[in-house]
Amino acid sequence: MGCDIHGFIECRRSYRDYENDSYWHAAINLDHLNDVRDYDAFACLFGVRNDFGILNDEAFEPLAAARGLPHDVSKRVRDLYEDHEGHSATSISWAEVEKVDWDELSLQPDPYVHEHRRNADGGWQFYERH
């Protein structure tokens, strides 16, 4: 069964929206930014599908796993979560994302076969992971 990430990038307003009972505004739906199921990204960011556990160790230390849905999210985000019968809710701030070392090595080697193909210049280019 496939796994999808649903969510929003929210922006904090300087005033409270009493109709939605929040200072937060759902600005960008992640569906607009994500059109593939990238399980490595899911694992690295949120601990979802962090299933490299051949030795019962995870491949990545997730950045923001299992924090729950923030109490002050916008109504739009809360409704989306409830409509999708959401699970594994979490959040991460932009300040946390900015501090990430994106070159950090995984805790375990990737156990999958990586297929590379020659590109037009004759060099090798990553094609697919199996």
Side-chain angles (χ1 to χ4, degrees):
M1 176 181 287
C3 178
D4 295 314
I5 297 287
H6 298 280
F8 278 86
I9 294 174
E10 290 193 303
C11 299
R12 185 165 172 82
R13 302 177 196 189
S14 60
Y15 61 91
R16 184 179 190 92
D17 179 349
Y18 287 98
E19 182 178 333
N20 292 313
D21 193 30
S22 180
Y23 283 96
W24 292 94
H25 170 71
I28 302 171
N29 188 326
L30 291 180
D31 288 346
H32 299 302
L33 304 176
N34 180 32
D35 62 351
V36 297
R37 288 180 171 152
D38 186 338
Y39 294 133
D40 288 344
F42 295 176
C44 179
L45 293 170
F46 309 117
V48 174
R49 288 290 176 106
N50 199 1
D51 57 0
F52 290 95
I54 293 174
L55 303 174
N56 294 324
D57 290 323
E58 295 178 331
F60 302 104
E61 181 68 35
L63 297 175
R67 294 180 175 180
L69 194 65
H71 72 280
D72 60 349
V73 296
S74 66
K75 182 178 182 326
R76 186 171 179 195
V77 170
R78 186 171 306 283
D79 289 348
L80 176 77
Y81 178 75
E82 292 170 358
D83 288 348
H84 282 92
E85 298 177 4
H87 62 84
S88 307
T90 195
S91 64
I92 189 168
S93 71
W94 184 251
E96 290 173 293
V97 171
E98 283 185 315
K99 291 180 184 177
V100 173
D101 175 5
W102 295 106
D103 295 321
E104 181 181 358
L105 297 176
S106 70
L107 300 173
Q108 294 290 327
D110 185 343
Y112 295 95
V113 175
H114 291 234
E115 181 179 350
H116 292 77
R117 295 185 178 175
R118 291 211 183 263
N119 60 25
D121 299 334
W124 292 100
Q125 182 175 351
F126 174 73
Y127 176 71
E128 191 173 9
R129 187 177 85 171
H130 304 282

